Amino acid sequence: MVFLAAGVLLAAAAAVAVWIGNSRSRMEKSEILKIGVLIYKEDDTFVSGIVEEMKRQFKDDEREKGSRIRMDFAYAEENQSIQNEQIDKYLSLDYDVLCVNLVDRTEAAIVIEKAKAADVPVVFFNREPVAEDLQQWDRLYYVGSDAKESGTLEGLLVVDFYKKYPEKLDKNQDGVIQYVLLEGESRHQDSLIRTEYSVQTLVDAGISLERLDGGIANWVRSQAEALTTQWLKEYGSEIELIISNNDDMALGAIDAVENWHVKFSNIVGIDGTPEGLAAVESQKMIGTIVAGQEDYARVILDLAERMARREALDGLDIREDKSIRIPMYSVNCDGKIRRLEEEGKEEN
Ligand code: BGC
């Protein structure tokens, strides 16, 4: 009995020693903090904007604080298996924290399992894991914009435009707005929710709508151009409004309209990319929603660094669902800016 108890104690002591050893080696290694950033693909305009901001802020930070951090990037060519391998690699190289822009947001569980086993925290961003997955471990967070808010703001852009210029929107004066809708990837949280709320906001404002057509262009400008060209052939001047889930697809619609040599600018987008904003300024679009890439980058880096250093997360606006939402506002072709939270319309 005594031997047994002593054995248990020894085993426990050994386990504690291993644990202390591990955390010590992690602390020694963490002299240089290593951040691994994993991106679903290389040529997504909006996500690239966030990445460029992360690099820029990281450089400024280094200059200002002389902080010893290293940040590396891996692109997954839209393949979750490739991203999983990249995660394995970063974990085997003792990275201190991972920032993950998932390929497939329904496949977060496997990423979480790997990170948890290695005790490496994860900041997911832009492509949101399903709610239950985020609850699996306390060292997981999500940074992203609120899809409902962006969809609502997009709808309000059209409502305001209609109030101000009814004849420009309802071109045939039949009291109904005939529209087409460009959707992002079918499994992306932003596609489904933005589509729903942009349309619902118009309905709630008492605007009668007729959906002529809609289609998935996967956030991609050239795919949106192809779809819009098809619709222009089919519906021609019947189309009074093009609602797009993001700016790149709105720009694709503008490309199609310009190739078709028609004058048409009743197009709305979301993201506030530099090209999107330029199109709004030059009156080629009604407006867009700015989900600040600078803010995104700042919050991701701050959260990642604090988690890696096991610091408190005070002052960060973390919601109950373990997410931090990036504030948004709309900009229209008259240069007017609108924010929901200032109007007390943010429900979350
Ligand atoms: C953006 C899209 C982007 C997508 C990538 C969305 O939130 O609006 O422009 O392509 O995220 O995940």
Side-chain angles (χ1 to χ4, degrees):
M1 194 60 186
V2 174
F3 280 129
L4 192 64
V8 169
L9 275 179
L10 272 178
V16 169
V18 168
W19 182 78
I20 291 174
N22 279 346
S23 26
R24 202 172 280 147
S25 64
R26 195 172 277 294
M27 275 165 69
E28 276 157 16
K29 269 181 257 144
S30 70
E31 255 186 64
I32 289 191
L33 194 90
K34 292 200 283 185
I35 305 179
V37 186
L38 298 111
I39 314 289
Y40 88 108
K41 72 168 183 174
E42 208 156 349
D43 61 352
D44 182 290
T45 308
F46 182 68
V47 178
S48 300
I50 298 175
V51 168
E52 287 316 309
E53 262 304 314
M54 286 173 85
K55 289 181 182 165
R56 195 187 61 74
Q57 291 181 17
F58 178 71
K59 269 207 188 125
D60 284 359
D61 222 37
E62 248 183 347
R63 249 199 315 267
E64 266 176 32
K65 296 193 225 153
S67 59
R68 302 192 59 195
I69 306 180
R70 124 176 221 168
M71 186 163 62
D72 293 294
F73 297 86
Y75 296 89
E77 298 164 35
E78 292 185 83
N79 182 330
Q80 189 60 55
S81 311
I82 294 183
Q83 188 165 72
N84 293 346
E85 281 163 23
Q86 292 168 333
I87 285 171
D88 286 338
K89 189 173 151 225
Y90 279 151
L91 292 176
S92 73
L93 293 171
D94 286 321
Y95 274 68
D96 297 282
V97 59
L98 300 179
C99 304
V100 182
N101 178 232
L102 283 166
V103 175
D104 184 343
R105 54 185 287 266
T106 63
E107 293 287 328
I110 180 157
V111 174
I112 294 168
E113 201 181 295
K114 289 172 190 291
K116 194 174 170 188
D119 196 19
V120 172
V122 182
V123 179
F124 291 102
F125 66 98
N126 168 260
R127 301 167 73 87
E128 187 169 358
V130 286
E132 305 82 70
D133 284 340
L134 270 189
Q135 302 305 326
Q136 282 185 32
W137 190 33
D138 57 355
R139 305 191 77 201
L140 308 170
Y141 289 93
Y142 173 69
V143 176
S145 54
D146 185 321
K148 178 178 164 191
E149 188 182 347
S150 52
T152 306
L153 278 167
E154 189 178 39
L156 290 173
L157 273 175
V158 180
V159 173
D160 289 346
F161 187 79
Y162 192 32
K163 281 188 191 147
K164 199 161 174 194
Y165 310 108
E167 73 296 341
K168 281 196 192 173
L169 196 61
D170 186 11
K171 288 176 187 276
N172 63 2
Q173 305 281 298
D174 67 348
V176 180
I177 305 303
Q178 280 78 20
Y179 74 99
V180 290
L181 205 144
L182 289 161
E183 290 178 60
E185 291 161 281
S186 58
R187 294 169 71 158
H188 198 298
Q189 79 282 343
D190 287 341
S191 312
L192 311 170
I193 304 173
R194 285 176 185 173
T195 296
E196 179 185 345
Y197 282 93
S198 54
V199 172
Q200 192 55 46
T201 304
L202 294 176
V203 172
D204 290 348
I207 298 177
S208 303
L209 293 173
E210 183 190 350
R211 181 182 165 117
L212 295 175
D213 222 326
I216 293 170
N218 295 308
W219 309 118
V220 177
R221 183 168 178 162
S222 57
Q223 293 187 28
E225 181 187 350
L227 264 181
T228 309
T229 304
Q230 203 176 299
W231 294 332
L232 286 169
K233 277 186 197 156
E234 207 167 327
Y235 307 102
S237 59
E238 265 183 82
I239 301 171
E240 293 176 323
L241 172 67
I242 302 179
I243 303 176
S244 171
N245 282 169
N246 80 340
D247 277 356
D248 257 16
M249 296 189 296
L251 292 165
I254 294 174
D255 295 339
V257 163
E258 286 180 348
N259 287 339
W260 208 250
H261 301 297
V262 281
K263 226 179 140 349
F264 184 87
S265 54
N266 293 345
I267 302 171
V268 276
I270 292 178
D271 277 348
T273 60
E275 241 189 301
L277 285 169
V280 174
E281 209 178 322
S282 56
Q283 316 277 317
K284 291 180 178 179
M285 272 167 79
I286 291 177
T288 185
I289 313 305
V290 184
Q293 287 150 312
E294 255 182 75
D295 286 345
Y296 247 105
R298 189 179 35 74
V299 173
I300 296 167
L301 284 175
D302 186 17
L303 186 56
E305 211 180 311
R306 289 210 227 173
M307 282 216 284
R309 297 193 198 282
R310 291 186 182 275
E311 289 170 5
L313 303 180
D314 308 348
L316 289 171
D317 194 5
I318 301 175
R319 292 191 184 175
E320 228 170 273
D321 64 359
K322 298 179 73 188
S323 74
I324 299 183
R325 303 289 166 174
I326 305 300
M328 276 175 290
Y329 57 90
S330 67
V331 181
N332 75 8
C333 48
D334 296 329
K336 192 178 158 224
I337 286 178
R338 187 166 181 181
R339 290 175 212 273
L340 283 190
E341 77 261 43
E342 281 169 8
E343 300 171 19
K345 282 194 180 147
E346 241 296 53
E347 283 159 28
N348 287 304

